[in-house]
């Protein structure tokens, strides 16, 4: 691809998927700035490899980068500690409207899940992906995805005050 | 409206309330181009380092090879006259039947570990499969054994917060399905906290959420595990395996019993378990067991792995062994 064609091609992809990727990053981090930064870094990496990946599934590739960036940050304890302090300052702010703020509640509940389980839950319940699609995207066995969903959903029910569905354990 | 639908609605509402603006295309492009310049610089530096490394390597090769400190063992290289491999299709796709649901398995695991923590022999017995019970003469014999099971042994896993659990299936004679569960987490036993794992076989009767799950516990296999390095045939001790050549293989001898052997989860202290290799790229069955291999695509793979091997014994019980394997580093 020539540079101009490549940039045009990538721009179309960017316009279609950047906002979804930003939201995915923010759901994973619980922090609008860090989530947007991870999404932008992922988009930048997608651009750099556009020639090789544009014919595949660059959106899935970008999501994996975001997840890896977030997980990498969690593994570095120093950053993780700093992040926790930052999280506290961000998420204990009450909603200005005084109404129930879904964003604050959902992001606070998601932070109680391990990062990978957070990703599985967001992909399933926000992005409406199937278990198989999540398995493919995260390179994770379907059985493990099912386990993540079950445990993630159970935890979110507790945290969000939801009642379990009748007829299921 | 059920919980999952309500959760979807709440996610939608939350997404609309996320603060901050959209990503800027121009800023992203500038970032990509800035990083690309840095990347090129890093590649140039790395290239120079590789050149130095090659020079050092050539010098090292010129030195006489030191004898291996390891004791000699039989060459475990597969001989050409072995029976043909069983087709991999005999295992379920992704190790699981299509109608598999995690809930019954997770529930029986939770109950079983809680009973182990409480050293409750009756509860443990009630959750065990007929095949597992048959390994003991009767309940009294089991109760005598079960005093060893408590909150400092297997029961310690009941206290692990948010363990990561992986499932793989193994075919069983009859209608039941075998699910090999491997649990990873930070476990505290007798005051010591370590990053560890445990494998427990579960037997499913029925399908979906209505399946009845029982545990094939305390059926530990006695099979030998031998690790061989395919690069230079030098035998390596399992548990301290280092990849030397472009391929690494692990052989688990099981005397021809149906076997499932997987190497695909990494565990590290303070890090979550990762499914690094979703299924061993090559799994070959021989008349003595299974050989799992990876490479050359997996050349860069390194870390701590759990090698989980399971097979069905003659009495129908599922026997499982889980080994720590260190690759690279």
């Amino acid at each position: 691809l020539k540079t101009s064609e490549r940039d045009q091609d990538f721009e179309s992809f960017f316009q279609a998927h950047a906002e979804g990727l930003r939201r995915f990053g923010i759901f994973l981090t619980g922090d609008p700035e860090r989530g947007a930064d991870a999404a932008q870094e992922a988009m930048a990496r997608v651009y750099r490899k556009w020639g090789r990946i544009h014919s595949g599934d660059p959106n899935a590739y970008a999501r994996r980068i975001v997840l890896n960036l977030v997980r990498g940050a969690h593994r570095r304890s120093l950053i993780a500690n700093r992040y926790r302090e930052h999280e506290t300052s961000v998420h204990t702010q009450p909603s200005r409207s005084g109404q129930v703020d879904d964003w604050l509640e959902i992001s606070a509940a998601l932070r109680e899940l391990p990062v990978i389980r957070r990703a599985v839950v967001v992909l399933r319940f926000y992005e409406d992906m199937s278990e198989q699609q999540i398995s493919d995207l995260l390179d994770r066995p379907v059985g493990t995805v099912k386990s993540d969903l079950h445990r993630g959903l159970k935890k979110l029910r507790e945290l969000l005050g939801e009642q379990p569905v009748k007829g299921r354990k | 409206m059920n919980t999952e639908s309500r959760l979807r609605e709440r996610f939608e509402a939350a997404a609309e309330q996320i603060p901050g603006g959209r990503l800027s295309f121009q800023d992203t492009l500038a970032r990509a181009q800035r990083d690309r310049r840095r990347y090129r610089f890093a590649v140039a530096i790395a290239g120079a380092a590789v050149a130095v490394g090659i020079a050092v390597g050539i010098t090292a090769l010129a030195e006489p090879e030191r004898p291996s400190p390891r004791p000699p063992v039989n060459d475990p290289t597969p001989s050409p006259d072995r029976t043909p491999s069983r087709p991999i299709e005999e295992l379920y796709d992704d190790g699981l039947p299509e109608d598999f649901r995690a809930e019954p398995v997770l529930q029986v695991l939770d109950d079983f570990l809680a009973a182990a923590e409480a050293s409750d022999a009756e509860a443990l017995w009630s959750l065990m499969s007929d095949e597992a019970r048959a390994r003991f003469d009767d309940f009294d014999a089991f109760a005598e054994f079960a005093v060893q099971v408590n909150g400092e042994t297997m029961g310690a896993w009941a206290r692990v917060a948010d363990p990561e659990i992986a499932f793989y299936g193994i075919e069983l004679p009859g209608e039941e399905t075998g699910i090999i569960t491997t649990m990873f987490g930070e476990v505290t036993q007798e005051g010591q906290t370590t990053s560890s794992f445990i494998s427990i076989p579960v037997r499913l009767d029925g399908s979906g959420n209505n399946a009845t799950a029982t545990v094939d516990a305390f059926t530990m296999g006695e099979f030998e595990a031998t690790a061989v390095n395919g690069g230079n045939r030098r035998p390596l001790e399992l548990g301290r395996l280092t990849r030397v050549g472009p391929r690494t293989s692990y052989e688990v001898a099981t005397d021809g019993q149906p076997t499932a052997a997987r190497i695909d989860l990494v565990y590290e202290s303070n890090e979550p378990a990762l499914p690094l290799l979703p299924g061993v790229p090559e799994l070959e069955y021989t008349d003595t067991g299974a050989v799992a291999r990876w490479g050359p695509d997996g050349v860069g793979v390194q870390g701590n792995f759990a090698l989980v091997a399971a097979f069905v014994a003659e009495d129908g019980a599922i026997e499982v062994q889980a080994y720590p394997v260190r690759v690279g580093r």
Side-chain angles (χ1 to χ4, degrees):
Chain A
L1 283 176
K2 291 179 181 174
T3 306
S4 57
E5 286 177 19
R6 170 202 175 98
D7 287 0
Q8 278 180 4
D9 215 12
F10 174 71
E11 185 171 6
S12 300
F13 167 77
F14 182 93
Q15 300 303 350
H17 298 287
E19 179 58 11
L21 195 65
R22 185 182 76 96
R23 291 180 178 189
F24 179 63
I26 293 171
F27 273 131
L28 289 196
T29 58
D31 181 323
E33 283 182 25
R34 290 187 66 246
D37 188 61
Q40 189 179 57
E41 175 61 25
M43 277 293 183
R45 292 188 191 186
V46 167
Y47 174 78
R48 290 203 300 272
K49 296 195 174 179
W50 189 249
R52 269 186 288 165
I53 64 172
H54 74 283
S55 57
D57 188 354
N59 193 29
Y61 181 78
R63 275 166 167 67
R64 287 181 66 165
I65 295 172
V66 169
L67 178 62
N68 288 344
L69 288 171
V70 174
R71 295 183 83 179
H74 267 260
R75 287 179 186 153
R76 294 190 288 274
S77 58
L78 191 65
I79 292 175
N81 289 337
R82 201 188 310 156
Y83 171 45
R84 273 195 288 275
E85 288 167 13
H86 186 49
E87 277 180 340
T88 307
S89 64
V90 169
H91 297 288
T92 51
Q93 294 170 1
S95 171
R96 287 183 185 175
S97 65
Q99 298 173 340
V100 174
D101 194 325
D102 287 296
W103 158 242
L104 288 180
E105 282 194 14
I106 290 282
S107 63
L110 283 174
R111 284 201 316 280
E112 297 298 315
L113 305 179
V115 177
I116 189 78
R117 203 165 290 164
R118 231 180 275 174
V120 170
V121 165
V122 171
L123 291 170
R124 182 81 182 100
F125 296 112
Y126 176 59
E127 308 228 355
D128 212 21
M129 292 175 72
S130 69
E131 290 165 345
Q132 186 61 55
Q133 287 172 317
I134 297 169
S135 166
D136 293 341
L137 175 68
L138 301 181
D139 216 4
R140 196 168 178 79
V142 174
T144 312
V145 169
K146 287 172 187 282
S147 162
D148 286 329
L149 281 172
H150 176 75
R151 298 206 161 219
L153 196 56
K154 190 176 172 188
K155 187 80 176 174
L156 288 181
R157 276 185 194 133
E158 290 168 15
L159 294 168
L160 298 172
E162 296 278 356
Q163 296 301 311
V165 182
K166 285 180 181 175
R168 291 181 59 177
K169 287 184 181 178
Chain B
M1 187 184 292
N2 65 25
T3 305
E4 296 183 11
S5 300
R6 280 200 300 276
L7 198 56
R8 283 193 172 86
E9 284 195 352
R10 294 189 74 172
F11 266 107
E12 282 292 336
E16 294 303 318
Q17 296 167 5
I18 287 176
R22 290 172 172 265
L23 296 180
S24 154
F25 176 69
Q26 290 306 329
D27 288 351
T28 306
L29 208 57
R31 181 173 185 164
Q33 287 163 345
R34 187 173 62 239
D35 290 348
R36 178 184 270 181
R37 284 194 291 274
R38 280 188 199 150
Y39 172 74
R40 284 179 180 158
F41 179 72
V43 167
I45 296 290
V50 167
V52 171
I54 289 171
V56 171
I58 290 170
T59 306
L61 283 174
E63 294 176 1
E65 191 178 348
R66 293 177 185 170
S68 168
R70 299 178 189 283
V73 298
N74 295 332
D75 183 359
T77 308
S79 58
D81 58 351
R82 284 184 170 175
T83 51
S85 300
R86 290 172 58 210
I88 195 167
E89 287 75 16
E90 286 189 28
L91 277 181
Y92 296 111
D93 182 35
D94 195 43
L96 294 169
E98 280 185 10
D99 62 352
F100 172 76
R101 298 289 299 180
E103 286 84 344
V105 177
L106 293 171
Q107 188 64 57
V108 80
L109 280 181
D110 284 349
D111 294 346
F112 190 78
L113 293 174
E117 186 183 30
S119 204
D120 185 341
E122 285 187 13
L124 288 170
W125 185 256
S126 71
L127 297 165
M128 285 162 58
S129 67
D130 291 343
E131 286 77 3
R133 289 180 186 175
R135 292 285 178 103
F136 300 89
D137 290 337
D138 52 27
F139 173 73
D140 291 339
F142 174 72
E144 199 172 314
F145 163 84
V147 295
Q148 303 167 52
V149 181
N150 56 51
E152 298 306 315
T153 56
M154 179 187 271
W157 285 92
R159 299 189 297 270
V160 174
D162 274 329
E164 180 135 357
I165 303 177
F167 303 118
Y168 300 114
I170 184 169
E171 286 190 348
L172 300 177
E175 300 297 313
E176 292 179 315
T177 302
I179 304 293
I180 312 303
T181 69
T182 305
M183 188 180 291
F184 296 77
E186 297 286 317
V187 63
T188 302
Q189 292 168 309
E190 296 178 344
Q192 297 283 321
T193 301
T194 53
S195 182
S196 189
F197 56 84
I198 184 172
S199 273
I200 300 175
V202 171
R203 189 177 286 268
L204 284 177
D205 188 3
S207 61
N209 279 328
N210 297 322
T212 306
T214 51
V215 178
D216 265 21
F218 315 117
T219 55
M220 183 70 81
E222 292 294 331
F223 45 98
E224 284 183 24
T226 313
V228 292
N229 178 275
N232 60 6
R233 303 294 182 206
R234 183 195 296 170
L236 297 164
E237 185 182 342
L238 197 69
R240 276 183 280 168
L241 191 69
T242 304
R243 183 185 59 74
V244 179
R247 299 175 72 89
T248 302
S249 66
Y250 304 91
E251 179 166 335
V252 182
T254 59
D255 294 330
Q257 301 298 326
T259 310
R262 310 284 296 225
I263 311 169
D264 60 0
L265 285 150
V266 60
Y267 73 101
E268 296 277 4
S269 181
N270 301 320
E271 291 184 12
L274 294 172
L276 198 53
L277 295 171
V280 178
E282 292 177 42
L283 187 61
E284 176 191 353
Y285 293 97
T286 70
D287 59 342
T288 56
V291 179
R293 296 191 184 87
W294 71 65
D297 290 343
V299 166
V301 170
Q302 58 180 10
N304 293 321
F305 295 83
L307 163 58
V308 180
F311 73 98
V312 184
E314 283 185 5
D315 62 1
I318 308 169
E319 298 191 343
V320 171
Q321 287 268 18
Y323 307 93
V325 178
R326 192 168 185 81
V327 179
R329 298 182 191 175

